[in-house]
Amino acid sequence: MIEVKNLTKQYGHHTAINDLNFSIDAGEIVGFLGPNGAGKTTTMNIMTGFIAATRGDVTINGLDIIAEPEEAKKQIGYLPDTPPVYGDMRVDEYLSFVADIKGVKRTGRKEMLTDIKQKLHIDDVSRRLIKNLSRGYRQRVGLAQAMVGRPRVIIMDEPTIGLDPKQIIEMREVVKGLGRYHTVILSSHIMQEVSAVCDRVMIINKGRIVAQGTPESLSHSLNKSAGKIQIRVKADATQVREALKEFTVIRHINVLESREAGTIDIELAGDEGVDIREPIFRCFAKNNLPLLLMKSMDLSLEEIFLTLTGDLRTQAMGYESPEEEVMQNDSDL
Amino acid sequence: MIAIYKKEIRTYFTQMVGYTFLAFLLLLMGMFFTFVNVFGQSGRFSEVLAAASILFFILVPILTMRLFSEEARHKTDQLLYTSPLSVMQIVLGKFFAAFSLFLMGVALTVIFPLILTRYAIHGLPVSQIAGSYIGFILIGACTIAVGMFISVLTDNQIIAAVATFAAIYVMFIMESIAMTMPVSAVASLVFVAALVLAVAGIWYYSTRHWLSSAVLAVLGVAVAVGLYFYNNLIYDAIIVRVLLWFSLYTRFHLLSFGILNLADLVYYASFAALFVYLTMNIIEKRRWR
């Protein structure tokens, strides 16, 4: 569906993206994950034909975005990081303008627009001026714009930025729903978001893909603490050590600080390939020490992300809370 | 293109820009009409048009300042440039929208000569008025193209407006500037040499090929100097001639006498087309930056 080959973009001497290669199949939901300034937006801007690459090709459904821009762009709906809405238009006016510029046929257009508005729950603001809408609604109008004309591919740059938690959950549902008909690419610097909706994740840092795969496989393959288990026992440290003495498969015991009065948290690791969960349960049961919690300590996507993208400074930048940009109203002349 | 055109026209009237422009145009024309035709008891409406054409430097920025700068400011340009529309369709849609609003205003001013017909015993100088109208409209098209070009260069409407104001004002005083230029052959030679070097510079800027640019510069200057020794009559007042040739308003005088000259029409049309083309070129270039 989408082929990206040797994509490079340089701004003067600064290389924004460096020799990117990937392909995306029809119907996939793919997430670009990376700190701010990693090259996600640049990649998306090139894929949608907004800017041109220094080197490399992008083909959408077999159509080259540079050689056949008009046809290729018909296959794409794009929601940039700032929703490209006109404040002085009503939602309905705006969507039919978008349908016009995308060359959507008159027949069935009204039904399509109504359908999109219902899906995104913006049908109740159809007659409102966009400049009077809240950020969340504006974002959804932006997404509605991308869906107009039912393009095969929908590309979204940071679709949940600036939304409140309820809107974020709604937006995730919408994105999941899109996956049934469209191929979806979205970018984010928030891990939960990507792991919640995407079939595949590409972690981008400094203009390169540093890892890709399903959220689970990424988590699995990079899991340095594989097999580690954390437990919480209603006992003290000596009792636990006593109980675990006879327990030979345990390779590593680490007593963590107590989180709950009268209990103790312990990190345990067994030999490779040995499931120690059941023996642990039986061991503590035999010693009459109540086991209150047991969980495996997989690396979260967040930790993988930080491991891959490296230094702490990048981390700090990646986690700056997304300041909501105050949109200027169109009151100029 | 139609979609962009319709959207621009609608925006003109939802943002008050359209009303401001029309009101301002009619107010000024009404004032000139009152002073020249009513108080002066004259039927020469072409004088009103000539006076009003000077005011393009205030009127046109109102029309053009927001065309592209507002899209860039609100990031809505991303929508346009990622849509299946070509850059040409977008630029032409915007140009014709601004031009149509201008024509709308011009159409409303036709009422003034119509009023005059009631009082003109010996008839009105129709050909002069028609010629002036043609000139007025053509200068409007050219200055709108210039304003649109300036608006694509910045995402700040105020800067676009002021720069457009300045550009049109310079075009207006071009004749006066031309008259103050030296006419001696040596000055002309220096001017031509500077032009040649400027062309070579632009060539280098767009191709980054220093050898061909250097050859162009050296050959150009050599030819200019050679011509100077061969026949320096060519250089007689060349600065004045070039500047006058570029002046939008010089040609307006002929038109206001009712003289319709094909060369002038072609000049105006190509002037507007050049700036429409440059606008498209800037947008295309920006994608590759």
Side-chain angles (χ1 to χ4, degrees):
Chain A
M1 190 71 202
I2 300 172
E3 289 280 345
V4 171
K5 282 198 199 107
N6 308 332
L7 205 63
T8 301
K9 177 73 183 180
Q10 285 164 332
Y11 295 105
H13 293 291
H14 170 70
T15 306
I17 56 173
N18 195 350
D19 208 27
L20 280 189
N21 284 290
F22 57 86
S23 67
I24 293 169
D25 293 328
E28 257 189 310
I29 302 181
V30 175
F32 288 169
L33 192 60
N36 293 344
K40 295 169 299 192
T41 301
T42 306
T43 311
M44 290 187 156
N45 277 341
I46 294 174
M47 290 171 73
T48 52
F50 181 58
I51 55 174
T54 312
R55 274 188 301 280
D57 305 303
V58 175
T59 50
I60 312 284
N61 212 3
L63 299 158
D64 191 295
I65 193 78
I66 296 296
E68 298 159 279
E70 271 111 66
E71 282 308 306
K73 284 173 184 173
K74 274 186 189 160
Q75 315 277 333
I76 306 173
Y78 183 32
L79 171 62
D81 48 359
T82 316
V85 292
Y86 294 97
D88 52 10
M89 283 191 186
R90 297 177 195 285
V91 173
D92 272 349
E93 278 172 355
Y94 175 67
L95 292 179
S96 63
F97 165 67
V98 172
D100 278 342
I101 61 172
K102 289 190 176 181
V104 176
K105 287 200 186 65
R106 291 262 163 201
T107 48
R109 178 193 279 199
K110 214 175 162 202
E111 291 71 29
M112 182 188 73
L113 292 182
T114 315
D115 181 48
I116 290 172
K117 282 190 287 179
Q118 275 167 358
K119 263 189 195 149
L120 296 174
H121 311 295
I122 51 172
D123 36 355
D124 51 334
V125 294
S126 295
R127 300 286 307 145
R128 299 256 307 264
L129 284 176
I130 295 178
K131 68 177 167 196
N132 296 334
L133 295 179
S134 69
R135 170 88 204 189
Y137 268 114
R138 227 180 269 185
Q139 190 77 14
R140 277 183 274 170
V141 173
L143 180 55
Q145 164 273 123
M147 289 163 71
V148 167
R150 299 201 184 286
R152 305 291 303 278
V153 181
I154 288 186
I155 298 181
M156 291 181 272
D157 197 359
E158 307 265 5
T160 57
I161 206 159
L163 301 186
D164 66 35
K166 181 167 168 280
Q167 291 167 332
I168 289 179
I169 292 168
E170 277 176 15
M171 185 61 104
R172 275 184 206 163
E173 291 308 312
V174 170
V175 172
K176 273 186 197 162
L178 288 179
R180 273 177 234 129
Y181 180 83
H182 311 268
T183 305
V184 180
I185 303 171
L186 60 91
S187 76
S188 181
H189 59 267
I190 302 162
M191 327 304 136
Q192 300 93 318
E193 185 169 300
V194 169
S195 58
V197 297
C198 294
D199 303 326
R200 186 148 63 101
V201 180
M202 290 183 201
I203 299 182
I204 299 180
N205 190 37
K206 292 181 183 148
R208 289 175 180 280
I209 296 179
V210 286
Q212 60 173 313
T214 61
E216 297 79 39
S217 75
L218 270 182
S219 170
H220 195 71
S221 66
L222 287 150
N223 212 336
K224 287 185 189 128
S225 58
K228 266 193 194 168
I229 281 173
Q230 187 191 344
I231 58 174
R232 182 172 297 171
V233 193
K234 202 171 170 183
D236 57 35
T238 43
Q239 283 176 300
V240 172
R241 284 190 199 284
E242 205 59 38
L244 289 174
K245 225 173 215 171
E246 53 195 280
F247 210 60
T248 49
V249 283
I250 297 250
R251 198 157 42 88
H252 163 85
I253 303 173
N254 184 17
V255 180
L256 308 168
E257 62 190 295
S258 168
R259 290 250 179 116
E260 209 178 311
T263 69
I264 183 170
D265 282 15
I266 305 152
E267 192 181 281
L268 297 170
D271 286 336
E272 203 135 330
V274 181
D275 190 350
I276 55 171
R277 285 174 301 180
E278 200 181 320
I280 288 175
F281 166 74
R282 294 199 183 286
C283 166
F284 283 98
K286 204 174 80 188
N287 288 288
N288 204 16
L289 299 172
L291 204 53
L292 301 179
L293 174 107
M294 183 189 301
K295 66 175 185 187
S296 67
M297 295 180 66
D298 273 353
L299 265 190
S300 70
L301 219 52
E302 233 131 5
E303 292 163 297
I304 297 170
F305 177 67
L306 292 183
T307 320
L308 287 170
T309 55
D311 63 51
L312 276 162
R313 214 183 308 145
T314 332
Q315 287 177 30
M317 283 172 59
Y319 286 103
E320 262 172 7
S321 66
E323 284 285 327
E324 219 180 283
E325 250 180 70
V326 183
M327 294 276 291
Q328 256 194 340
N329 281 349
D330 311 320
S331 52
D332 339 4
L333 262 180
Chain B
M1 186 179 118
I2 309 271
I4 298 284
Y5 176 84
K6 270 163 48 187
K7 178 217 131 202
E8 289 300 327
I9 292 282
R10 188 170 50 198
T11 315
Y12 274 131
F13 290 105
T14 51
Q15 285 189 350
M16 301 289 293
V17 178
Y19 299 111
T20 310
F21 172 79
L22 290 178
F24 204 40
L25 178 73
L26 290 178
L27 174 75
L28 290 172
M29 294 286 267
M31 273 166 54
F32 288 130
F33 175 74
T34 314
F35 292 135
V36 176
N37 297 122
V38 179
F39 292 169
Q41 301 192 341
S42 148
R44 283 189 292 180
F45 189 68
S46 50
E47 284 176 15
V48 173
L49 286 172
S53 71
I54 296 163
L55 292 161
F56 277 134
F57 64 83
I58 300 171
L59 287 170
V60 170
I62 301 176
L63 279 183
T64 59
M65 61 191 233
R66 44 160 298 280
L67 280 179
F68 282 97
S69 40
E70 193 181 39
E71 304 262 6
R73 171 59 61 89
H74 295 295
K75 306 268 177 94
T76 44
D77 52 343
Q78 293 205 336
L79 172 66
L80 300 184
Y81 302 144
T82 58
S83 77
L85 292 176
S86 66
V87 171
M88 188 161 104
Q89 286 171 313
I90 296 168
V91 172
L92 286 181
K94 281 177 177 283
F95 174 76
F96 283 121
F99 189 50
S100 307
L101 188 67
F102 170 73
L103 286 183
M104 220 180 283
V106 171
L108 289 173
T109 66
V110 172
I111 191 151
F112 297 125
L114 286 181
I115 292 170
L116 287 179
T117 53
R118 279 208 51 176
Y119 302 99
I121 306 158
H122 304 298
L124 284 180
V126 176
S127 61
Q128 292 176 20
I129 292 174
S132 294
Y133 260 121
I134 293 173
F136 192 73
I137 290 168
L138 288 172
I139 294 182
C142 292
T143 46
I144 286 170
V146 171
M148 179 172 74
F149 171 72
I150 291 171
S151 136
V152 85
L153 297 175
T154 170
D155 62 359
N156 186 324
Q157 292 196 36
I158 305 300
I159 292 175
V162 172
T164 308
F165 175 93
I168 297 173
Y169 190 71
V170 167
M171 278 182 230
F172 168 63
I173 60 170
M174 190 79 97
E175 278 178 278
S176 325
I177 296 176
M179 292 315 156
T180 63
M181 287 291 142
V183 291
S184 75
V186 178
S188 303
L189 175 63
V190 172
F191 172 72
V192 171
L195 266 188
V196 168
L197 291 178
V199 168
I202 293 168
W203 176 260
Y204 176 72
Y205 181 74
S206 48
T207 62
R208 299 274 163 206
H209 195 267
W210 68 268
L211 184 65
S212 61
S213 324
V215 169
L216 188 69
V218 171
L219 268 184
V221 173
V223 168
V225 174
L227 272 177
Y228 174 75
F229 288 113
Y230 176 69
N231 178 6
N232 69 16
L233 272 183
I234 300 171
Y235 285 105
D236 190 34
I238 201 164
I239 307 178
V240 178
R241 278 188 283 152
V242 167
L243 290 183
L244 284 184
W245 191 85
F246 272 113
S247 166
L248 283 175
Y249 288 89
T250 313
R251 289 162 197 268
F252 185 65
H253 305 319
L254 275 181
L255 282 167
S256 67
F257 292 136
I259 301 165
L260 207 58
N261 194 339
L262 182 65
D264 293 342
L265 300 185
V266 171
Y267 167 81
Y268 282 122
S270 45
F271 189 99
L274 173 71
F275 278 94
V276 169
Y277 170 77
L278 286 177
T279 308
M280 284 162 24
N281 205 17
I282 293 278
I283 296 171
E284 282 292 343
K285 256 228 161 103
R286 194 167 284 165
R287 294 176 60 210
W288 294 90
R289 197 170 55 192

PDB file of all heavy atoms in Angstrom, chain B residues 216-235:
ATOM      1  N   LEU B 216      28.784  34.047 -18.136  1.00  0.00           N
ATOM      2  CA  LEU B 216      27.657  34.927 -18.449  1.00  0.00           C
ATOM      3  C   LEU B 216      27.987  36.364 -18.068  1.00  0.00           C
ATOM      4  O   LEU B 216      27.782  37.298 -18.860  1.00  0.00           O
ATOM      5  CB  LEU B 216      26.419  34.445 -17.682  1.00  0.00           C
ATOM      6  CG  LEU B 216      25.104  35.124 -18.042  1.00  0.00           C
ATOM      7  CD1 LEU B 216      24.658  34.727 -19.435  1.00  0.00           C
ATOM      8  CD2 LEU B 216      24.040  34.749 -17.020  1.00  0.00           C
ATOM      9  N   ALA B 217      28.519  36.550 -16.870  1.00  0.00           N
ATOM     10  CA  ALA B 217      28.832  37.896 -16.392  1.00  0.00           C
ATOM     11  C   ALA B 217      29.885  38.553 -17.270  1.00  0.00           C
ATOM     12  O   ALA B 217      29.701  39.675 -17.748  1.00  0.00           O
ATOM     13  CB  ALA B 217      29.311  37.829 -14.940  1.00  0.00           C
ATOM     14  N   VAL B 218      30.989  37.829 -17.526  1.00  0.00           N
ATOM     15  CA  VAL B 218      32.094  38.406 -18.290  1.00  0.00           C
ATOM     16  C   VAL B 218      31.660  38.729 -19.718  1.00  0.00           C
ATOM     17  O   VAL B 218      31.861  39.837 -20.217  1.00  0.00           O
ATOM     18  CB  VAL B 218      33.306  37.444 -18.296  1.00  0.00           C
ATOM     19  CG1 VAL B 218      34.369  37.938 -19.263  1.00  0.00           C
ATOM     20  CG2 VAL B 218      33.865  37.320 -16.882  1.00  0.00           C
ATOM     21  N   LEU B 219      30.997  37.738 -20.369  1.00  0.00           N
ATOM     22  CA  LEU B 219      30.540  37.957 -21.748  1.00  0.00           C
ATOM     23  C   LEU B 219      29.562  39.120 -21.824  1.00  0.00           C
ATOM     24  O   LEU B 219      29.670  39.985 -22.694  1.00  0.00           O
ATOM     25  CB  LEU B 219      29.862  36.690 -22.268  1.00  0.00           C
ATOM     26  CG  LEU B 219      30.755  35.695 -23.003  1.00  0.00           C
ATOM     27  CD1 LEU B 219      29.931  34.546 -23.550  1.00  0.00           C
ATOM     28  CD2 LEU B 219      31.492  36.407 -24.148  1.00  0.00           C
ATOM     29  N   GLY B 220      28.616  39.145 -20.886  1.00  0.00           N
ATOM     30  CA  GLY B 220      27.588  40.193 -20.891  1.00  0.00           C
ATOM     31  C   GLY B 220      28.207  41.562 -20.777  1.00  0.00           C
ATOM     32  O   GLY B 220      27.909  42.474 -21.565  1.00  0.00           O
ATOM     33  N   VAL B 221      29.131  41.713 -19.811  1.00  0.00           N
ATOM     34  CA  VAL B 221      29.773  43.010 -19.624  1.00  0.00           C
ATOM     35  C   VAL B 221      30.597  43.362 -20.856  1.00  0.00           C
ATOM     36  O   VAL B 221      30.583  44.508 -21.330  1.00  0.00           O
ATOM     37  CB  VAL B 221      30.644  43.000 -18.344  1.00  0.00           C
ATOM     38  CG1 VAL B 221      31.449  44.284 -18.245  1.00  0.00           C
ATOM     39  CG2 VAL B 221      29.763  42.819 -17.117  1.00  0.00           C
ATOM     40  N   ALA B 222      31.290  42.370 -21.431  1.00  0.00           N
ATOM     41  CA  ALA B 222      32.114  42.617 -22.619  1.00  0.00           C
ATOM     42  C   ALA B 222      31.251  43.123 -23.780  1.00  0.00           C
ATOM     43  O   ALA B 222      31.593  44.110 -24.443  1.00  0.00           O
ATOM     44  CB  ALA B 222      32.843  41.327 -23.012  1.00  0.00           C
ATOM     45  N   VAL B 223      30.120  42.451 -23.989  1.00  0.00           N
ATOM     46  CA  VAL B 223      29.229  42.880 -25.069  1.00  0.00           C
ATOM     47  C   VAL B 223      28.736  44.301 -24.817  1.00  0.00           C
ATOM     48  O   VAL B 223      28.701  45.147 -25.723  1.00  0.00           O
ATOM     49  CB  VAL B 223      28.032  41.898 -25.204  1.00  0.00           C
ATOM     50  CG1 VAL B 223      26.956  42.493 -26.112  1.00  0.00           C
ATOM     51  CG2 VAL B 223      28.497  40.561 -25.736  1.00  0.00           C
ATOM     52  N   ALA B 224      28.384  44.591 -23.561  1.00  0.00           N
ATOM     53  CA  ALA B 224      27.881  45.926 -23.229  1.00  0.00           C
ATOM     54  C   ALA B 224      28.937  46.981 -23.524  1.00  0.00           C
ATOM     55  O   ALA B 224      28.650  48.007 -24.152  1.00  0.00           O
ATOM     56  CB  ALA B 224      27.470  45.971 -21.750  1.00  0.00           C
ATOM     57  N   VAL B 225      30.188  46.715 -23.097  1.00  0.00           N
ATOM     58  CA  VAL B 225      31.269  47.678 -23.328  1.00  0.00           C
ATOM     59  C   VAL B 225      31.541  47.804 -24.827  1.00  0.00           C
ATOM     60  O   VAL B 225      31.705  48.905 -25.354  1.00  0.00           O
ATOM     61  CB  VAL B 225      32.543  47.244 -22.562  1.00  0.00           C
ATOM     62  CG1 VAL B 225      33.712  48.156 -22.915  1.00  0.00           C
ATOM     63  CG2 VAL B 225      32.269  47.277 -21.061  1.00  0.00           C
ATOM     64  N   GLY B 226      31.529  46.658 -25.523  1.00  0.00           N
ATOM     65  CA  GLY B 226      31.757  46.666 -26.970  1.00  0.00           C
ATOM     66  C   GLY B 226      30.730  47.528 -27.683  1.00  0.00           C
ATOM     67  O   GLY B 226      31.080  48.380 -28.508  1.00  0.00           O
ATOM     68  N   LEU B 227      29.473  47.360 -27.315  1.00  0.00           N
ATOM     69  CA  LEU B 227      28.408  48.144 -27.933  1.00  0.00           C
ATOM     70  C   LEU B 227      28.610  49.631 -27.676  1.00  0.00           C
ATOM     71  O   LEU B 227      28.341  50.469 -28.528  1.00  0.00           O
ATOM     72  CB  LEU B 227      27.049  47.715 -27.368  1.00  0.00           C
ATOM     73  CG  LEU B 227      26.351  46.566 -28.078  1.00  0.00           C
ATOM     74  CD1 LEU B 227      25.064  46.216 -27.346  1.00  0.00           C
ATOM     75  CD2 LEU B 227      26.031  46.957 -29.523  1.00  0.00           C
ATOM     76  N   TYR B 228      29.115  49.940 -26.495  1.00  0.00           N
ATOM     77  CA  TYR B 228      29.328  51.326 -26.123  1.00  0.00           C
ATOM     78  C   TYR B 228      30.316  51.974 -27.083  1.00  0.00           C
ATOM     79  O   TYR B 228      30.099  53.091 -27.556  1.00  0.00           O
ATOM     80  CB  TYR B 228      29.861  51.395 -24.687  1.00  0.00           C
ATOM     81  CG  TYR B 228      30.245  52.770 -24.246  1.00  0.00           C
ATOM     82  CD1 TYR B 228      29.253  53.703 -23.915  1.00  0.00           C
ATOM     83  CD2 TYR B 228      31.587  53.144 -24.153  1.00  0.00           C
ATOM     84  CE1 TYR B 228      29.594  54.964 -23.509  1.00  0.00           C
ATOM     85  CE2 TYR B 228      31.933  54.412 -23.742  1.00  0.00           C
ATOM     86  CZ  TYR B 228      30.940  55.326 -23.417  1.00  0.00           C
ATOM     87  OH  TYR B 228      31.290  56.578 -23.015  1.00  0.00           O
ATOM     88  N   PHE B 229      31.395  51.237 -27.432  1.00  0.00           N
ATOM     89  CA  PHE B 229      32.382  51.813 -28.349  1.00  0.00           C
ATOM     90  C   PHE B 229      31.910  51.752 -29.789  1.00  0.00           C
ATOM     91  O   PHE B 229      32.270  52.572 -30.604  1.00  0.00           O
ATOM     92  CB  PHE B 229      33.733  51.115 -28.175  1.00  0.00           C
ATOM     93  CG  PHE B 229      34.399  51.500 -26.896  1.00  0.00           C
ATOM     94  CD1 PHE B 229      34.579  50.587 -25.876  1.00  0.00           C
ATOM     95  CD2 PHE B 229      34.806  52.829 -26.695  1.00  0.00           C
ATOM     96  CE1 PHE B 229      35.175  50.965 -24.688  1.00  0.00           C
ATOM     97  CE2 PHE B 229      35.401  53.208 -25.504  1.00  0.00           C
ATOM     98  CZ  PHE B 229      35.585  52.271 -24.492  1.00  0.00           C
ATOM     99  N   TYR B 230      31.083  50.767 -30.109  1.00  0.00           N
ATOM    100  CA  TYR B 230      30.605  50.610 -31.492  1.00  0.00           C
ATOM    101  C   TYR B 230      29.599  51.695 -31.844  1.00  0.00           C
ATOM    102  O   TYR B 230      29.703  52.365 -32.864  1.00  0.00           O
ATOM    103  CB  TYR B 230      29.992  49.221 -31.641  1.00  0.00           C
ATOM    104  CG  TYR B 230      29.373  48.972 -32.992  1.00  0.00           C
ATOM    105  CD1 TYR B 230      30.186  48.858 -34.137  1.00  0.00           C
ATOM    106  CD2 TYR B 230      27.995  48.846 -33.129  1.00  0.00           C
ATOM    107  CE1 TYR B 230      29.622  48.629 -35.378  1.00  0.00           C
ATOM    108  CE2 TYR B 230      27.423  48.621 -34.366  1.00  0.00           C
ATOM    109  CZ  TYR B 230      28.239  48.510 -35.490  1.00  0.00           C
ATOM    110  OH  TYR B 230      27.685  48.279 -36.708  1.00  0.00           O
ATOM    111  N   ASN B 231      28.612  51.864 -30.950  1.00  0.00           N
ATOM    112  CA  ASN B 231      27.572  52.845 -31.260  1.00  0.00           C
ATOM    113  C   ASN B 231      26.918  53.282 -29.958  1.00  0.00           C
ATOM    114  O   ASN B 231      25.976  52.660 -29.498  1.00  0.00           O
ATOM    115  CB  ASN B 231      26.544  52.204 -32.203  1.00  0.00           C
ATOM    116  CG  ASN B 231      25.404  53.160 -32.516  1.00  0.00           C
ATOM    117  OD1 ASN B 231      25.442  54.322 -32.116  1.00  0.00           O
ATOM    118  ND2 ASN B 231      24.409  52.665 -33.219  1.00  0.00           N
ATOM    119  N   ASN B 232      27.402  54.374 -29.367  1.00  0.00           N
ATOM    120  CA  ASN B 232      26.895  54.691 -28.047  1.00  0.00           C
ATOM    121  C   ASN B 232      25.569  55.451 -28.068  1.00  0.00           C
ATOM    122  O   ASN B 232      25.054  55.849 -27.032  1.00  0.00           O
ATOM    123  CB  ASN B 232      27.951  55.364 -27.164  1.00  0.00           C
ATOM    124  CG  ASN B 232      28.296  56.759 -27.647  1.00  0.00           C
ATOM    125  OD1 ASN B 232      27.559  57.341 -28.435  1.00  0.00           O
ATOM    126  ND2 ASN B 232      29.421  57.275 -27.185  1.00  0.00           N
ATOM    127  N   LEU B 233      24.978  55.594 -29.234  1.00  0.00           N
ATOM    128  CA  LEU B 233      23.622  56.171 -29.303  1.00  0.00           C
ATOM    129  C   LEU B 233      22.605  55.256 -28.634  1.00  0.00           C
ATOM    130  O   LEU B 233      21.593  55.701 -28.103  1.00  0.00           O
ATOM    131  CB  LEU B 233      23.215  56.403 -30.767  1.00  0.00           C
ATOM    132  CG  LEU B 233      23.613  57.749 -31.368  1.00  0.00           C
ATOM    133  CD1 LEU B 233      23.077  57.864 -32.790  1.00  0.00           C
ATOM    134  CD2 LEU B 233      23.099  58.887 -30.501  1.00  0.00           C
ATOM    135  N   ILE B 234      22.920  53.930 -28.705  1.00  0.00           N
ATOM    136  CA  ILE B 234      22.032  52.957 -28.073  1.00  0.00           C
ATOM    137  C   ILE B 234      21.851  53.289 -26.595  1.00  0.00           C
ATOM    138  O   ILE B 234      20.804  53.059 -26.019  1.00  0.00           O
ATOM    139  CB  ILE B 234      22.634  51.539 -28.197  1.00  0.00           C
ATOM    140  CG1 ILE B 234      22.806  51.189 -29.674  1.00  0.00           C
ATOM    141  CG2 ILE B 234      21.773  50.498 -27.491  1.00  0.00           C
ATOM    142  CD1 ILE B 234      23.571  49.917 -29.884  1.00  0.00           C
ATOM    143  N   TYR B 235      22.907  53.851 -26.025  1.00  0.00           N
ATOM    144  CA  TYR B 235      22.874  54.082 -24.584  1.00  0.00           C
ATOM    145  C   TYR B 235      22.198  55.389 -24.201  1.00  0.00           C
ATOM    146  O   TYR B 235      22.187  55.759 -23.043  1.00  0.00           O
ATOM    147  CB  TYR B 235      24.304  54.052 -24.028  1.00  0.00           C
ATOM    148  CG  TYR B 235      24.830  52.648 -23.947  1.00  0.00           C
ATOM    149  CD1 TYR B 235      25.755  52.162 -24.847  1.00  0.00           C
ATOM    150  CD2 TYR B 235      24.357  51.798 -22.954  1.00  0.00           C
ATOM    151  CE1 TYR B 235      26.211  50.872 -24.772  1.00  0.00           C
ATOM    152  CE2 TYR B 235      24.800  50.504 -22.864  1.00  0.00           C
ATOM    153  CZ  TYR B 235      25.732  50.046 -23.782  1.00  0.00           C
ATOM    154  OH  TYR B 235      26.174  48.769 -23.706  1.00  0.00           O
TER     155      TYR B 235
END
